[in-house]
Structure formats: C-alpha cells, structure tokens
Amino acid sequence: MNNKVSFTVPVSAKAIYEVITDLDLLFRLNIQWHIKNHNFSKPIIKGSNYSVRVNYDRTDKELEHNVEVLDLIENSLMIIDLKGAKERKIIFKLEGIGDRHTTFTLEEQTDEPLSKEEIMELNLWAKSIVNYAMIKQSRKITSRIWKFILDKIWLKLSPTGRRVVFFIIISEIFALLFFIMLVIYFLFT
C-alpha cells in the first residue's frame, strides 16, 4: 500500500534535505517512536546500512530496524528501507520551486494497509520535518532559541514525555492567568 503526503512549503530544498539526511534527527522527529540507540553516521552514503532500536509509543513495544539507504540524490531525493517487524520503504522527494519554495513529498510503501492512526502519524512526521527545516533556515533570534530548545530538550524526550511536558506547561499557564485575575480582582475591588 502506498501512502503519500505532499506539501508546498516556503523552505529551500537544501534546508529540508539537511534535515532528512540527518537520520538521528529524522527519526527523532517521528512521533511514532522513541529512539533507544542507533549507529547512524554523518554523512550518510547511498547503499549504507544502519540499525536503530526504537520503542513504539502506541504499543509500547521495543523493536530493532535495519535502515538501508536505497537512493540518495542531493537536494532532491532520499529513499530508505526499514526492515523489522513490518517492512516499509520511505521515499522523501524534494522539488525546488525557485530558491525559497519546495514541494516536499513523503511516501510510505508497505505490504499491508496503514491504520488511520499510522496515516495521521505519517502526516505529522512530514509536518514536523518541514517545520524543523523552517526553524533551522530562519535567522531570527527567536527561531534560534526555539531550535536550541528542540535540539537539547524536546527531541530527546519520548512521545509520552512530550505530552506530559505539554500538559504541565498548559496547566501552569492557566494557573498563572488565574493568579493574575485574582491579583487584579483584589487590587480593584
């Protein structure tokens, strides 16, 4: 079964290519799993094999995948083959539209159809790749700070840990707003 997600984004093909060819970062951007260990190297080479052990968030199963780089064309294409419990071929296509826009396509080919949750996770993976490339390409100080937080803290957390941190931050924002409302109430009544 083929499942494809495609976006036209205001990011250069080079910026997205740098994200997808950093396999450690690429796998950390996927919300399906948490990386336990790997032997990825930089730069990756066409025909190279790597292994990665991941813990799937939804099923809480730890599996080892063999990652083979089947094809690699600079700023244009990367095809990887994930062999494990379920064999998957993942194709990343980049088509530059001028210097600042790119059509990014993420296609996953499997023997069996994906569930609705897996299709949603594929879509979120594509969006997280594009968003990270946009942050990486930006020269604003806020983007640099956000990229630092992503690299040093957020992407090292498991998907469950990310959800816990998100809920804690949201609850603290509401607590702060409630405190401000109480202070305003007592100051002006």
Side-chain angles (χ1 to χ4, degrees):
M1 292 295 299
N2 287 359
N3 296 286
K4 185 189 274 188
V5 178
S6 187
F7 302 105
T8 299
V9 293
V11 182
S12 69
K14 182 181 180 202
I16 297 176
Y17 183 78
E18 289 173 0
V19 172
I20 65 174
T21 55
D22 182 350
L23 292 179
D24 180 44
L25 174 61
L26 179 69
F27 276 74
R28 289 190 190 283
L29 288 171
N30 192 334
I31 65 164
Q32 280 183 303
W33 53 57
H34 175 64
I35 296 178
K36 293 297 187 179
N37 60 26
H38 63 78
N39 67 347
F40 299 140
S41 65
K42 288 183 186 178
I44 61 172
I45 303 165
K46 179 180 174 180
S48 56
N49 284 303
Y50 305 100
S51 64
V52 61
R53 180 172 290 282
V54 294
N55 186 4
Y56 280 85
D57 186 51
R58 199 171 345 103
T59 60
D60 202 30
K61 289 184 181 176
E62 193 168 302
L63 298 172
E64 180 137 356
H65 290 287
N66 181 32
V67 181
E68 182 179 358
V69 180
L70 299 176
D71 201 0
L72 190 64
I73 301 171
E74 188 170 348
N75 298 335
S76 181
L77 176 75
M78 183 173 83
I79 301 174
I80 60 174
D81 197 13
L82 271 172
K83 295 178 183 167
K86 184 191 323 187
E87 188 164 332
R88 304 157 63 175
K89 183 184 286 186
I90 303 172
I91 302 166
F92 302 91
K93 292 181 187 173
L94 306 169
E95 296 176 28
I97 305 169
D99 291 340
R100 309 258 324 141
H101 288 77
T102 304
T103 299
F104 171 66
T105 304
L106 172 58
E107 183 178 348
E108 183 171 344
Q109 298 174 353
T110 59
D111 293 334
E112 55 193 55
L114 295 178
S115 66
K116 288 180 182 179
E117 291 85 9
E118 290 172 322
I119 292 171
M120 179 192 69
E121 289 166 347
L122 182 69
N123 189 20
L124 291 173
W125 191 21
K127 287 181 179 181
S128 67
I129 292 167
V130 168
N131 289 337
Y132 189 90
M134 290 172 72
I135 290 169
K136 185 176 182 175
Q137 183 173 313
S138 176
R139 297 291 171 226
K140 296 179 184 174
I141 190 71
T142 53
S143 296
R144 289 182 183 184
I145 292 169
W146 183 236
K147 183 181 175 302
F148 178 80
I149 291 170
L150 284 173
D151 289 340
K152 299 298 179 189
I153 300 169
W154 190 256
L155 292 177
K156 293 189 179 190
L157 293 172
S158 69
T160 304
R162 292 176 195 169
R163 284 191 290 274
V164 168
V165 168
F166 175 76
F167 287 125
I168 289 172
I169 289 171
I170 293 298
S171 65
E172 290 300 319
I173 288 171
F174 281 120
L176 178 63
L177 290 174
F178 181 70
F179 177 72
I180 291 170
M181 288 176 24
L182 280 176
V183 168
I184 291 172
Y185 175 77
F186 285 115
L187 286 176
F188 295 109
T189 57

